[in-house]
Amino acid sequence: MSKSTTIPAPGPGAQESGQGRPQPVAAPRMVKQRRRRPGLIALSVALIAVGGLSGAVLYSASGQRTPVLVVTRDVPVGTKLTKADLAEASVALAPAVKSVKASKAAGLLGQRAAVDLRAGSLLTPAQVTDKSLVGPGQQLVGVSLKPSQIPATRLSPGQKVLVVSTPDADAMETAKESGLEAKPQTVAASVVAVGSPAVGTGNVVVDVAVPVKDGPALAARVATGNVAVIVDARGGS
């Protein structure tokens, strides 16, 4: 009788060769895991947190708006402020920017512009004053002027001018006979108010502040009508 031979079945992890014999299988490679760096992770988290905080601060600052006063039209220096000169605006301001809160608008009416105010500009506390343009030791004199006795450029309160007394024909003739030169007399003054031109004549009354010693004499010269006003270059225009 013939004996039968039993070939054992290949076990797990074995491959059969061409002759039916099991071949060993190479062990799988171990994947080396990357080492985690706790310090680097912590730094990344910190940078993300700082960036988010900065963005939140900037967003919060840009969203905080303050109601303040702005100038709606040009206001010459010395002019009294009216309700039409100011308006409320809500803006975001840096802490260093000086401004006037909109809630104080009523208290500014009737006060004067300390400087020339420009339309669209932010009003600051230093630009407004409650002081009169007629200071201590000064008098207010009204000067009536024809169009030919005043510059074509409109005068504004606070502007420095010279009021010139022009000698009349008789005074000039008398001075000539005496061998003298009839020189015009001048008085330094500052404009307080400018009236509207009279209908028909165009005459304008300009209120000026002058030293007390010059007030009466200037008023007497104005009464003769022989006066003129010129802009003092030192005061600017």
Side-chain angles (χ1 to χ4, degrees):
M1 289 182 64
S2 61
K3 294 182 180 180
S4 58
T5 304
T6 302
I7 299 175
Q15 295 181 352
E16 293 185 359
S17 63
Q19 291 79 18
R21 295 180 179 180
Q23 297 293 326
V25 178
R29 292 184 177 182
M30 297 293 294
V31 178
K32 187 177 182 181
Q33 296 183 353
R34 296 180 179 179
R35 295 180 59 187
R36 295 182 179 180
R37 299 180 180 179
L40 183 60
I41 296 175
L43 178 60
S44 301
V45 173
L47 291 176
I48 294 173
V50 171
L53 181 59
S54 300
V57 171
L58 290 175
Y59 177 81
S60 176
S62 62
Q64 293 181 353
R65 294 180 174 271
T66 305
V68 296
L69 292 176
V70 295
V71 182
T72 58
R73 57 185 180 182
D74 291 347
V75 181
V77 58
T79 304
K80 290 185 178 181
L81 296 177
T82 65
K83 190 175 181 180
D85 298 325
L86 305 174
E88 179 179 339
S90 182
V91 296
L93 298 175
V97 177
K98 303 298 182 181
S99 61
V100 179
K101 294 183 178 180
S103 58
K104 297 183 179 181
L108 297 179
L109 301 182
Q111 295 193 32
R112 298 181 183 275
V115 296
D116 288 331
L117 303 180
R118 300 303 179 189
S121 62
L122 185 70
L123 186 67
T124 64
Q127 293 177 329
V128 183
T129 180
D130 56 359
K131 296 181 180 179
S132 172
L133 292 182
V134 182
Q138 292 184 323
Q139 291 181 335
L140 187 66
V141 180
V143 182
S144 179
L145 301 164
K146 299 177 183 179
S148 60
Q149 298 172 319
I150 191 172
T153 302
R154 183 174 175 81
L155 300 175
S156 60
Q159 195 168 22
K160 302 300 182 182
V161 297
L162 294 176
V163 182
V164 183
S165 300
T166 56
D168 56 19
D170 293 339
M172 293 180 65
E173 185 64 25
T174 301
K176 186 177 180 179
E177 293 177 354
S178 303
L180 301 175
E181 182 181 358
K183 295 181 179 180
Q185 294 179 311
T186 62
V187 176
S190 59
V191 177
V192 175
V194 181
S196 300
V199 178
T201 63
N203 290 358
V204 176
V205 176
V206 179
D207 290 344
V208 297
V210 298
V212 172
K213 63 182 181 64
D214 297 325
L218 178 59
R221 295 170 196 160
V222 170
T224 66
N226 298 320
V227 293
V229 168
I230 61 177
V231 175
D232 187 356
R234 293 170 298 174
S237 174

